[in-house]
Amino acid sequence: MPLFDVYPLYDVTPVSGKGIHVYDDKGTEYLDLYGGHAVISIGHAHPNYVQAITNQVNALGFYSNAIQNPLQRELADKIEALSGCKDYELFLVNSGAEANENALKLASFKTGKKRVVAFKKGFHGRTSAAVAATDNPNIVAPINAQQEVTILELNDVEGVKQELEKGDVCAVIVEFIQGIGGLDEASAEFFEEVDALCKANNTMFVADEIQCGYARSGKFFAFQHYNVTPDIISMAKGMGNGFPIGGILIHPDIESKYGMLGTTFGGNHLACAAGLAVLNTIESENLLENVNEVGAYFIERAKDITQIKEIKGRGLMLGLEFDFEVGGLRKELIYNQKVFTGGAANKKLLRILPPLNIEKAHVDQFFDILKLALKEVEQTVN
């Protein structure tokens, strides 16, 4: 049976990984500076992670949410301790799209309203409401388009004000650092004014931390770079180091009721074991500090590459923007230089999302390779 052909694939077949490297079916080593879309947060096959999952699957891999699962509460307490998000409540799901879907649903339940405000270049997932709030008409089917969504420009405070004052907006959803959109950020003034406008207009402020959260920006959540208090925080990619897990943190002002949200697989025993292994490793290995130190070092090294026109992002969620489209450069990097990097909707941007325990030596290795790759690409173009 053929696979449904929806992904353009590189001709590389990874079969194992260790730390910041992956190895293909021919035994070739690759430097992984993309982490499978920022999913690999503590490195491939981290011993803490392998042991935690092994121990849990040997004991109990799954049972439903109809029973007590102390691992869920342990995970919730650990998220609270490391993030500083006191008094929020946790609902666990399986993916970022599901997290945002439940965030928007919860906002609608809370406010009794149904329109959503989102922003250009934003990406929130591929499920019904999440994809309708995503600024990409190519992935919005007619059944998704029945959702009521208004998409504005980042930094358009007046536009947000006008829409919220109409009285029918249940949620404003925003990535504090855009991922697929190309590492763009709004101003502090914008985020803080939108937060205030939401609170003044009975609208839930949803922080999409699917990619920029979980220590990637240099703080546990990217919204913590600003003076804001989101009503709902969605998270996923870095939570399980590859095991499917997502969740939302819910402000205590939002009251729960039996049956309003639900999931079969969300918060299962294996997912919680993976999530706890990630958080324990972030804490024990001081990975937040490493993100800030190595991220700053990466930016300094990038300033020496004259072809780089702009450096975007924070921490280890970074983008290198050139004055040419980077498709050819990415192919040179993966096929000839053996480095994984990412692209974006901005075709001139190279996206860098390595494991959070990357070292400065890996950064030096990358920039030596990048210089070689740029020479090869320039020779091809010329």
Side-chain angles (χ1 to χ4, degrees):
M1 179 187 294
L3 299 176
F4 197 51
D5 190 13
V6 292
Y7 297 116
L9 301 177
Y10 287 103
D11 188 18
V12 177
T13 307
V15 296
S16 66
K18 188 69 175 175
I20 197 168
H21 296 98
V22 294
Y23 302 87
D24 69 13
D25 53 351
K26 302 177 182 65
T28 305
E29 181 181 86
Y30 295 78
L31 182 66
D32 184 8
L33 296 189
Y34 192 56
H37 313 299
V39 166
I40 303 301
S41 48
I42 59 171
H44 298 279
H46 194 290
N48 294 351
Y49 178 77
V50 172
Q51 183 175 8
I53 291 180
T54 301
N55 291 347
Q56 187 59 51
V57 78
N58 281 330
L60 179 66
F62 174 83
Y63 206 78
S64 80
N65 284 304
I67 48 80
Q68 298 290 326
N69 182 353
L71 289 170
Q72 292 184 355
R73 186 169 296 279
E74 187 179 349
L75 181 61
D77 289 345
K78 198 71 178 181
I79 291 172
E80 181 180 61
L82 294 192
S83 71
C85 293
K86 302 296 183 184
D87 300 323
Y88 281 77
E89 296 174 343
L90 173 66
F91 179 70
L92 289 164
V93 293
N94 310 286
S95 69
E98 193 179 345
N100 281 334
E101 198 74 26
N102 280 279
L104 296 175
K105 182 177 183 178
L106 195 57
S108 186
F109 268 133
K110 169 65 176 175
T111 64
K113 300 184 282 190
K114 62 181 180 180
R115 188 158 64 97
V116 172
V117 167
F119 298 95
K120 290 189 176 178
K121 297 184 182 179
F123 185 94
H124 303 291
R126 294 178 181 270
T127 52
S128 189
V131 79
T134 291
D135 185 26
N136 183 351
N138 293 326
I139 63 172
V140 179
I143 194 171
N144 309 130
Q146 65 184 314
Q147 307 283 346
E148 295 185 20
V149 177
T150 301
I151 296 180
L152 303 175
E153 294 279 356
L154 272 180
N155 287 316
D156 183 5
V157 172
E158 188 58 35
V160 174
K161 183 175 185 292
Q162 290 175 6
E163 295 303 326
L164 266 56
E165 288 178 349
K166 293 176 183 178
D168 63 340
V169 175
C170 69
V172 174
I173 185 168
V174 65
E175 299 166 274
F176 280 75
I177 306 172
Q178 291 188 330
I180 291 173
L183 285 297
D184 290 328
E185 301 176 64
S187 67
E189 292 76 15
F190 172 78
F191 288 131
E192 291 162 13
E193 288 188 42
V194 168
D195 185 36
L197 285 166
C198 285
K199 289 171 172 54
N201 289 278
N202 185 31
T203 300
M204 299 293 98
F205 190 25
V206 179
D208 182 339
E209 296 275 349
I210 303 301
Q211 187 171 126
C212 58
Y214 252 70
R216 185 150 294 276
S217 75
K219 293 186 179 290
F220 194 89
F221 289 121
F223 78 80
Q224 292 169 326
H225 291 282
Y226 308 98
N227 184 25
V228 299
T229 304
D231 298 287
I232 306 171
I233 304 159
S234 59
M235 53 196 180
K237 288 189 186 299
M239 285 185 74
N241 204 51
F243 197 98
I245 182 173
I248 51 176
L249 300 185
I250 303 157
H251 194 276
D253 287 348
I254 301 174
E255 183 182 356
S256 62
K257 296 179 181 178
Y258 288 149
M260 69 192 306
L261 304 179
T263 172
T264 296
F265 295 104
N268 68 72
H269 295 73
L270 267 179
C272 288
L276 282 164
V278 167
L279 290 173
N280 288 333
T281 303
I282 288 173
E283 182 179 38
S284 66
E285 297 187 2
N286 299 313
L287 292 189
L288 258 174
E289 291 86 344
N290 191 67
V291 167
N292 286 300
E293 183 178 344
V294 179
Y297 183 72
F298 186 101
I299 289 170
E300 286 304 310
R301 287 298 315 268
K303 291 176 181 177
D304 294 333
I305 308 295
T306 58
Q307 295 95 325
I308 296 172
K309 303 307 176 187
E310 187 172 354
I311 305 164
K312 293 185 172 183
R314 295 172 183 263
L316 290 175
M317 185 174 180
L318 297 166
L320 304 178
E321 190 169 34
F322 298 85
D323 60 5
F324 58 86
E325 293 192 2
V326 300
L329 177 59
R330 288 186 66 205
K331 288 180 180 178
E332 171 65 24
L333 284 168
I334 193 167
Y335 288 131
N336 297 326
Q337 307 298 336
K338 311 306 179 187
V339 179
F340 287 176
T341 58
N346 177 354
K347 301 300 183 185
K348 296 181 179 180
L349 188 97
L350 196 68
R351 206 153 41 124
I352 306 296
L353 303 164
L356 306 182
N357 47 9
I358 186 176
E359 299 174 3
K360 290 180 180 178
H362 299 127
V363 174
D364 290 336
Q365 181 186 359
F366 168 67
F367 280 106
D368 289 344
I369 289 170
L370 181 61
K371 290 174 184 177
L372 293 173
L374 285 168
K375 287 181 181 178
E376 292 296 326
V377 171
E378 287 168 357
Q379 289 173 6
T380 303
V381 172
N382 295 330

